[in-house]
Amino acid sequence: MSERPTSTTSNDTIVFSSDTELSLIRGSTYVGEGSRTGVPIEQSTPSLQQTVARTKQRSWAIERSMLARLLKAVGHPAIRIVLWDGAEARGQESDNLRTMTILNRRALWNLVRAPDYYMPEGYMRGDIVIDGDLIEFMQEVNRSYRTEWTRGNALRRAWEGRSLLKAKRNISHHYDLGNDFYKLWLDEQLVYTCAYFESPEASLEAAQVAKMDHVCRKLQLQPGEHVIEAGCGWGALALHMAKHYGVHVRAFNVSKEQVRYARERTQQEGFAGQVEFIEDDWRNITGKCDAFVSVGMLEHVGPENCQRLGDVIHTSLEQHGRGLIHTIGMNYNQQFNRWIEDRIFPGAQPPSLRQMLDVFEPHDFSVIDVENLRPHYALTLRHWLERFERSLPKVREMYDEQFIRMWRMYLGASASAFETGGLQLFQVVFLPASRPDYPWTREHLYWTAQRATRLSPK
Amino acid sequence: MSERPTSTTSNDTIVFSSDTELSLIRGSTYVGEGSRTGVPIEQSTPSLQQTVARTKQRSWAIERSMLARLLKAVGHPAIRIVLWDGAEARGQESDNLRTMTILNRRALWNLVRAPDYYMPEGYMRGDIVIDGDLIEFMQEVNRSYRTEWTRGNALRRAWEGRSLLKAKRNISHHYDLGNDFYKLWLDEQLVYTCAYFESPEASLEAAQVAKMDHVCRKLQLQPGEHVIEAGCGWGALALHMAKHYGVHVRAFNVSKEQVRYARERTQQEGFAGQVEFIEDDWRNITGKCDAFVSVGMLEHVGPENCQRLGDVIHTSLEQHGRGLIHTIGMNYNQQFNRWIEDRIFPGAQPPSLRQMLDVFEPHDFSVIDVENLRPHYALTLRHWLERFERSLPKVREMYDEQFIRMWRMYLGASASAFETGGLQLFQVVFLPASRPDYPWTREHLYWTAQRATRLSPK
């Protein structure tokens, strides 16, 4: 075993003790067990060649031929894939070939079997190393590789459920990681959704405030109105609406940690009388409202529940009301990346526009405005990744290197997906069909003078 | 027969000679045969009571009871329905009850059988009279009456076809009525699609220019680029793009009259070298382009052909290209009003957003921006109707009173449908999925300074 370049988990023992046992790991669930080097991956690269050189286990001919198959499967991107013994294959020729090194047999066989899943997984485990800029590597692959178009709504994992109980567990998995962790790399208000950069040079803080204003202006909020928010995160938007637009907000969220934080902050800032945080699922929303807003929740609701969300909105929204849904989306019905779903967001499934229409059509809502903010989410993710990397010393006090690689891959792969078109960010404004008095043009969203729609500070 | 208040067609004879023959007219096709009074309907109202009073034929009990059934079927709007003998029924109480008078038995029985069709048909034939403002009456009905939601794409008349030959005939039916007729009530450039009013006070002429600029800015046109336009009407947009944005345009249209007009105008204005008009169907589009635009054609393409249109766009559009489709639409899949389709636009079927996605999804186009300009189309139609009424003396030199009532109903009912939400106007911008460099925000569409995107006049 001493010949092996890495020894991250006991699973490896099974795989490498006998090649015939490769099949044993199919479907096995890996549990992180400690860090590998204590140094971020990009810094470990220099010593990698030495590590690989020490490997005695030669790759087989079939494994080397697998590389060509793999490159074909992902559409021949301009990348170089190197095996543990130095064998390599190249995709499309380029002056700027990007290199991925596969450090062991298990990682290769898994990768060939399910590249969508085992590329990020192998990276997370430390079995796959990517030289240079992670986002650029992912972009190169994403540009040539498109997953299949899934016609219809039948999604493989829908049955696994986003029931009330399961939804709470799913959300808890991700959002209850601890506020201290998110504080390290989100903006100061902990807004964990796509920002809106009025120019690409804007700060993340400014862009998150601009996003909240953009949403409020699209909703045409008037002082004294009542707003229901479904999925409120750490409460920044709810507080923003109350503070700057003078509305009353009832905000729903199943994450205990987030709701506690939101309540405390709102109390401290003196808006507890105007904003109520309710630790409950969107399915249990009650009451009427002039505006219904949901930012970054539909991804977790699941396409099979879109119609039910529409029912909830229909019941809540007054006839003169306005609605806005802000969500990650896709160009067509498509299975969400399984790795992201397993490791990062259990139960998540960004909808296509087609699936989103299940919210609006049954109740004759008119779609008034759809804005695709895809490049804004790519930039938001780049800001988060940069802050995350800057905060690594503090992250290390909380989590191991495997977690760090996982998080880096999640943020980097997501940025790449938004940049290359695998993911979209839809902001949809809708109204009851017969509502006549929505603003004449969208100019009010842009004229800086119209910021006067915000209240003066108290 | 002298007792009958009106005698528009020989069909009436059949109906009134024997009530048992009512069934004979079911499915019969009416052909207009001359004017009734030579006076516009709204002016004929004062004498109507007298006319009705002369009727000897009393309504039956079953007919009077039909009125309640009819009011229920359309959701109890605040209207009063009066029969030829003065019998009446009222919907929801209101200080402002609007009155519709049914002048004969045939019109009533037809109306009960298929109100969507026989209300406008009866109005056109002069068998139904509406007091006061036609649009307001239609709004009152539209607000309470919603047609059924048709799930899926199976549209009753799809088989009747929008084949190449049929499409040409359909378009010819409407658009080849004669340029002289359209000149009477469209704007000076003959733009026969929804205008864009930067404010409701803008003139129709200004609003049509603003619409063309809005489209050009959404398409990010650059001088020297190549544009393909599918369905170009009388050529105003093609010429506008060439003149003000310096692009080369190839514009397709199956209407002979429109193409001839467009060619002449473009020749006169000196842009024949930059704009080519091709008298052909969108299915025969060839060549590559930097921008693909279609304004007001998808309504005629039919939902069953959306995917094929997507194929054509995919073949034409360069990887860096931009596309825009501007079309009348619906909140959900729904049969277009049969009367409008029979009388006005054969083969037309405005798509729902869901149906429109068949254009974009199969080729992984990203939907970037959807703007619903519904109130702008309502106002456009009100302008057209006003101009049409002002031009009645000249219209009368071309067409009979029945045509005039038909056209009035078409424009008025359409305005009402856009105002009350039965029809939408979608402007959709889309890009190949991987295209990275679309403008950062939509602010460039609104800043007046950005009009500088237009070229200086030559």
Side-chain angles (χ1 to χ4, degrees), chain A residues 394-406:
Chain A
K394 285 184 179 166
V395 175
R396 277 200 185 94
E397 293 169 13
M398 305 176 182
Y399 299 103
D400 64 17
E401 289 305 313
Q402 178 149 303
F403 178 92
I404 289 168
R405 285 193 301 269
M406 176 181 82

Side-chain angles (χ1 to χ4, degrees), chain B residues 151 217 383:
Chain B
R151 273 195 176 273
R217 275 178 261 153
H383 275 276

